[in-house]
Amino acid sequence: MKKQYLTINEASLVTNKHSNTIRELLKTNKVQYTKDNRKYLILKESLALFYKDKSDEILSFGEDKKTTVTNDSSNNLVTEQLKPLVESLTYHIKKYDEVQKLLTNSKAEKLELEKSYTSKINSLKSSFEDEKNSTINSYKKVVSKKDIFIKVLFVII
């Protein structure tokens, strides 16, 4: 059974236009349509006349396509149809692999930087602790000498 009408979404799909563009055609009466409840149905022939470059696709949209393929040409036909898909998949797989390598390298660099910063922080912390301890020891010696001096003064006085 031949389908005479297209929904807005189907018309959008077959013409590669946004559904709002199709709705604008309806508002301005540039294509013939009918309304079924709240659903707009566009006449295929009218849409094909408006989009002349896509008329074959519009008129054949939704029809059962019966193609006969012989065994000899079937492999070539399938190969030709799948070739762009295979190329696209190959391209995207390569890009995915590149991204994975970048992520792996970034993770390794991050770990290396963390290790480097941790060792620097620990060495600075250690030197700070040593300096702190030496300052505390020298302060204790000075305080101890002051105590001894004060005791000697009190004994003398």
Side-chain angles (χ1 to χ4, degrees):
M1 182 175 173
K2 194 170 185 179
K3 189 175 169 187
Q4 291 182 344
Y5 293 96
L6 297 173
T7 64
I8 291 177
N9 288 336
E10 290 171 339
S12 172
L13 180 68
V14 75
T15 60
N16 293 326
K17 303 291 181 190
H18 195 273
S19 57
N20 289 344
T21 305
I22 304 298
R23 284 185 184 91
E24 190 64 30
L25 292 176
L26 300 178
K27 282 183 188 177
T28 57
N29 290 321
K30 293 184 178 176
V31 292
Q32 294 176 353
Y33 66 94
T34 184
K35 197 171 180 184
D36 182 28
N37 291 328
R38 299 189 71 200
K39 193 177 193 184
Y40 288 95
L41 299 174
I42 303 159
L43 188 64
K44 274 186 182 182
E45 288 81 18
S46 176
L47 190 64
L49 286 174
F50 191 79
Y51 291 110
K52 291 177 181 156
D53 57 327
K54 302 256 184 194
S55 63
D56 292 337
E57 296 157 16
I58 293 169
L59 293 172
S60 66
F61 186 81
E63 304 294 322
D64 292 334
K65 293 181 181 177
K66 295 180 181 177
T67 55
T68 57
V69 179
T70 62
N71 286 338
D72 297 336
S73 64
S74 65
N75 288 339
N76 291 339
L77 181 63
V78 170
T79 303
E80 289 301 317
Q81 289 176 344
L82 292 179
K83 191 174 184 179
L85 178 63
V86 170
E87 289 173 355
S88 174
L89 287 173
T90 304
Y91 171 79
H92 288 292
I93 287 170
K94 284 180 183 176
K95 287 295 179 186
Y96 177 80
D97 288 343
E98 290 174 10
V99 169
Q100 285 298 99
K101 286 178 186 176
L102 286 173
L103 289 173
T104 303
N105 291 342
S106 296
K107 190 173 182 179
E109 289 175 9
K110 177 186 169 200
L111 291 174
E112 195 63 38
L113 283 173
E114 284 178 348
K115 189 186 286 185
S116 170
Y117 285 136
T118 303
S119 67
K120 285 181 182 178
I121 288 170
N122 286 338
S123 70
L124 288 173
K125 188 176 177 183
S126 173
S127 67
F128 176 75
E129 287 290 326
D130 291 344
E131 187 177 334
K132 176 183 156 191
N133 288 335
S134 71
T135 306
I136 288 173
N137 287 338
S138 66
Y139 176 75
K140 284 181 181 178
K141 286 180 185 176
V142 169
V143 169
S144 172
K145 285 180 182 178
K146 281 184 181 178
D147 284 344
I148 292 173
F149 181 72
I150 290 174
K151 285 181 183 177
V152 168
L153 267 175
F154 279 124
V155 171
I156 294 177
I157 300 187

